[in-house]
Amino acid sequence: MRRLCLSLVLSAALAAVQSPAALAQGAAAAPAARQVVTRADQLPRRAQALPALPSELLLAPLATLLPLAVRLDAELAADLATYDIQDNATLRELYAARATLAQLRGDWAAVPGWTAKARALQDKPGSRLASGVLTDLLAQQRLEQRDSAWLQAEVARRFGAMPWADVQEQVKSSKGGIETYNPEVVRGALQAQLDTVARNGAMVVPDAVALMVIGARMQRELLVPNQAAVVQGLQAVVDANTRAAARPDLWTPRTFAIAPDAPAREVVVAVWDSGVDLALFRPAAARGMAVDDAGRPAADLLRPLGEAQARWPQLRGLVKGAMDQRAALDTADARQFRSALAGLKAEQVRGFSEDMALAGLYVHGTHVAGIAVDGNPFARVYAATVLWNHRTEPSRPDEARALAIAQAYGRIVQGFKDADVRVVNMSWRYGPGAYEAMMAFHNLGGTPEARKLEAHRLFRIERDALQAAIAGAPGILFVAGAGNEDNSADFQDYIPAGLELPNLITVGAVDRAGQETSFSTFGKTVVVHANGFEVDSLVPGGERLRLSGTSMASPQVANLAAKLMALKPGLTAVQVKALILDGAERQPGADGQPGRVRLIHPRRSAQLAGLQP
């Protein structure tokens, strides 16, 4: 939330690196030591001049983009030679960018080398097997001049040979995304966002935007003639595994519910989110408070849909359809979603995207609340609502706005104290990159490097205020979602996921079998994991929906904390955090050694507290 919907990929490049000059004595000079990079803000920021608007480049001949690609590739080669980047996710993005640039140059033989480098840095089983495979096959098709029938067969063969238990998430989500690919949707998205970035910047854009344009152009080049073949190949893999034995459910046996007549005390759980339909829950005496996207007081605890209210039945179906499509479920809602995307024209994309963003914000907080209080009749819900911007055009960041949001953090946490809140769930996350993206959209901050510095300064105003507010409420346990970008919360400096405080716990996502999801962010602050894959919960009005994300994993931990506090009210926030950590089990990694997933065990944590769940 609160970030421009642009994937902020680092810039890429190609140029020969000069050999070190020989010493006068004739001995070879040692290469200069590379600069160690441990945070994203230590990497350089650059900009590129575009020869035309992004949406125009989507349809332009590939040769039009070639000079831009060469410049980007040269910068990437230099960066990889200069910096020792201590973050696998960032390196994967850089290598993937080089693969894309090799595609644009028609250097199909070079593509597998770059995807192999990226794949070698994957540490999740499914990603280590499946990432970059389709890219390799498309490159091989071009190199060997194969037809679509060959591609379909190879997709089915390559993915079909992989262990289904490990790659089913990747196969299903890839199929869902490629099946709904519509070049008009991509063109409309570029018109709505990147064209504006280019116009505002007098046709000079951040490297990340230039890379997105090239990526979109190559996607069009390769997918348009091959979309049906790829989808049918992946569908064959899905069909072949319809009767595959489900992986064991490690999650459900760990959970427990509190009986309504148990000797327990009411506990107030705050849902700091996009809004909650309190009519579905037992609200706290103080029902909550709300602020708008700029931190100003607002009235609505459930986000109003405004003029989109009349479209809510359709939007609800589209949200469900998008989730079903991602899971490769051929439901009526999934078919409706596919039909809606297939029929979109470029000029309709802005309105459709804003409707979907609004619907997502509308359901998110209520869905989270349903998970947080499930099985706990003693839970009372307090809504801390933030009316985040759902428009294509992001808010304009400046110091006054950052200060207002910082002050809002203090007011919100003071509201928790006044309402006797014991547990707060925070299923949201962003970092300074969100500020950089917003500033780039509005062409604020000067040069790319100056913009980076200003973005971090504004972000720190918010970060420091949030950290102080949480630290100043030691009686409350705050639970945060790690994020859904398969990257490091440490490297990117996120809030709240990157904060380290005695009364804060950050949660990553696994599926019901305890395997880390492909999307879950990680890092030293991500200390526990919970089920965050296709979790069933309530949405406004009382219907139910399955959603995935660390947004769904975090309230599982908040749920456990609230149950422990209800059953044993004398427990402090720090004690509850310790019980959750001590009860969690370290899951084995791919090599059989203890991995980074530490799956919570609600029953065991309750037993450690002397309770009998």
Side-chain angles (χ1 to χ4, degrees):
M1 298 178 189
R2 291 190 52 217
R3 57 182 295 161
L4 184 61
C5 296
L6 304 176
S7 181
L8 290 174
V9 183
L10 293 168
S11 10
L14 181 151
V17 179
Q18 296 278 336
S19 299
L23 294 175
Q25 292 84 354
R34 292 189 298 162
Q35 178 181 332
V36 175
V37 171
T38 59
R39 300 190 317 274
D41 63 352
Q42 294 171 326
L43 288 166
R45 304 295 194 268
R46 304 186 184 92
Q48 299 290 334
L50 298 182
L53 288 172
S55 64
E56 295 170 346
L57 292 172
L58 188 66
L59 304 173
L62 294 180
T64 308
L65 286 161
L66 189 57
L68 174 62
V70 170
R71 293 197 303 271
L72 287 166
D73 215 22
E75 290 173 2
L76 178 55
D79 284 349
L80 289 170
T82 303
Y83 301 105
D84 180 7
I85 301 170
Q86 304 287 299
D87 183 65
N88 284 352
T90 300
L91 286 171
R92 292 198 304 262
E93 290 177 346
L94 295 175
Y95 293 141
R98 297 206 74 173
T100 299
L101 294 167
Q103 289 175 334
L104 188 137
R105 297 193 312 274
D107 188 1
W108 304 107
V111 171
W114 294 119
T115 59
K117 282 179 172 289
R119 191 179 304 116
L121 296 172
Q122 296 282 0
D123 50 11
K124 297 176 180 178
S127 300
R128 192 166 53 252
L129 291 165
S131 66
V133 170
L134 181 57
T135 303
D136 289 350
L137 288 174
L138 290 168
Q140 184 180 351
Q141 182 198 35
R142 287 297 184 97
L143 185 64
E144 299 176 0
Q145 298 185 355
R146 302 280 192 166
D147 61 14
S148 291
W150 173 89
L151 181 61
Q152 178 179 333
E154 282 300 295
V155 167
R157 184 185 70 82
R158 289 285 299 274
F159 287 96
M162 299 175 189
W164 181 245
D166 291 331
V167 301
Q168 58 180 304
E169 182 188 347
Q170 285 79 7
V171 171
K172 289 178 178 179
S173 61
S174 293
K175 173 186 171 292
I178 295 169
E179 191 171 22
T180 54
Y181 172 75
N182 176 354
E184 281 290 286
V185 172
V186 178
R187 188 163 71 92
L190 295 188
Q191 288 175 344
Q193 286 194 309
L194 299 193
D195 282 4
T196 306
V197 174
R199 288 192 184 97
N200 289 348
M203 300 303 290
V204 175
V205 301
D207 276 13
V209 172
L211 274 169
M212 277 183 274
V213 173
I214 291 175
R217 179 66 184 85
M218 291 313 302
Q219 184 184 53
R220 185 185 183 99
E221 179 78 9
L222 295 170
L223 270 189
V224 167
N226 292 306
Q227 184 177 12
V230 173
V231 170
Q232 289 166 15
L234 293 173
Q235 183 65 57
V237 179
V238 174
D239 292 344
N241 288 280
T242 53
R243 292 188 175 89
R247 298 176 68 232
D249 180 2
L250 297 184
W251 177 250
T252 304
R254 295 166 177 255
T255 62
F256 69 92
I258 302 177
D261 59 351
R265 188 177 300 174
E266 289 188 358
V267 58
V268 180
V269 180
V271 179
W272 191 342
D273 212 290
S274 59
V276 178
D277 184 355
L278 288 174
L280 303 177
F281 308 103
R282 299 181 69 180
R287 295 170 64 86
M289 65 185 300
V291 298
D292 68 11
D293 187 61
R296 296 169 298 210
D300 297 294
L301 296 180
L302 175 63
R303 185 184 188 94
L305 289 173
E307 54 86 23
Q309 183 68 55
R311 298 192 296 279
W312 170 238
Q314 178 190 11
L315 290 175
R316 181 182 58 220
L318 289 172
V319 171
K320 184 177 184 300
M323 295 301 103
D324 289 351
Q325 180 69 18
R326 183 185 185 279
L329 299 174
D330 188 24
T331 64
D333 290 313
R335 290 191 290 273
Q336 178 193 6
F337 178 72
R338 290 197 298 268
S339 176
L341 280 184
L344 281 179
K345 300 301 182 185
E347 60 272 14
Q348 299 171 310
V349 170
R350 180 194 294 268
F352 180 83
S353 298
E354 291 183 348
D355 266 2
M356 291 297 288
L358 177 61
L361 290 169
Y362 182 63
V363 305
H364 192 271
T366 300
H367 195 275
V368 165
I371 299 169
V373 303
D374 184 47
N376 187 354
F378 298 92
R380 303 293 178 266
V381 177
Y382 178 100
T385 297
V386 184
L387 302 174
W388 282 294
N389 179 21
H390 72 284
R391 299 293 182 188
T392 300
E393 179 173 326
S395 304
R396 291 177 67 92
D398 56 28
E399 182 173 304
R401 182 176 179 275
L403 289 169
I405 292 171
Q407 292 167 1
Y409 290 154
R411 293 199 309 274
I412 289 170
V413 174
Q414 184 59 52
F416 296 154
K417 296 181 192 177
D418 295 342
D420 294 323
V421 168
R422 297 296 313 279
V423 182
V424 176
N425 188 80
M426 308 165 75
S427 286
W428 52 271
R429 185 216 67 176
Y430 67 99
Y435 267 112
E436 284 193 69
M438 291 189 290
M439 294 174 73
F441 187 97
H442 295 290
N443 194 30
L444 303 174
T447 67
E449 281 296 321
R451 180 181 296 143
K452 176 181 74 173
L453 294 174
E454 178 64 3
H456 280 72
R457 186 183 75 84
L458 296 177
F459 171 74
R460 284 193 295 270
I461 292 172
E462 293 193 35
R463 183 198 64 194
D464 294 349
L466 181 62
Q467 179 161 306
I470 294 174
I476 301 173
L477 180 63
F478 292 79
V479 185
N484 303 322
E485 294 180 20
D486 187 25
N487 61 355
S488 171
D490 314 323
F491 191 76
Q492 296 293 338
D493 193 19
Y494 291 125
I495 59 171
L499 300 178
E500 295 183 88
L501 291 163
N503 60 328
L504 171 67
I505 186 167
T506 297
V507 186
V510 296
D511 60 18
R512 293 168 73 87
Q515 182 168 297
E516 190 175 19
T517 62
S518 63
F519 54 77
S520 184
T521 289
F522 45 86
K524 68 173 186 269
T525 61
V526 185
V527 292
V528 291
H529 294 75
N531 181 31
F533 189 71
E534 295 182 13
V535 180
D536 182 68
S537 186
L538 294 160
V539 297
E543 295 190 51
R544 303 189 72 88
L545 190 65
R546 290 184 181 275
L547 298 178
S548 297
T550 58
S551 285
M552 285 65 244
S554 175
Q556 308 275 13
V557 177
N559 177 290
L560 171 56
K563 286 174 177 172
L564 295 176
M565 290 176 172
L567 291 167
K568 201 165 183 178
L571 290 171
T572 67
V574 171
Q575 288 171 333
V576 169
K577 179 178 177 178
L579 287 167
I580 293 171
L581 292 173
D582 292 344
E585 291 181 333
R586 184 78 65 179
Q587 300 299 294
D591 57 1
Q593 299 300 311
R596 69 180 174 214
V597 170
R598 197 175 180 185
L599 184 60
I600 67 166
H601 198 310
R603 287 185 176 275
R604 181 169 296 169
S605 291
Q607 291 164 359
L608 290 173
L611 303 168
Q612 296 299 321

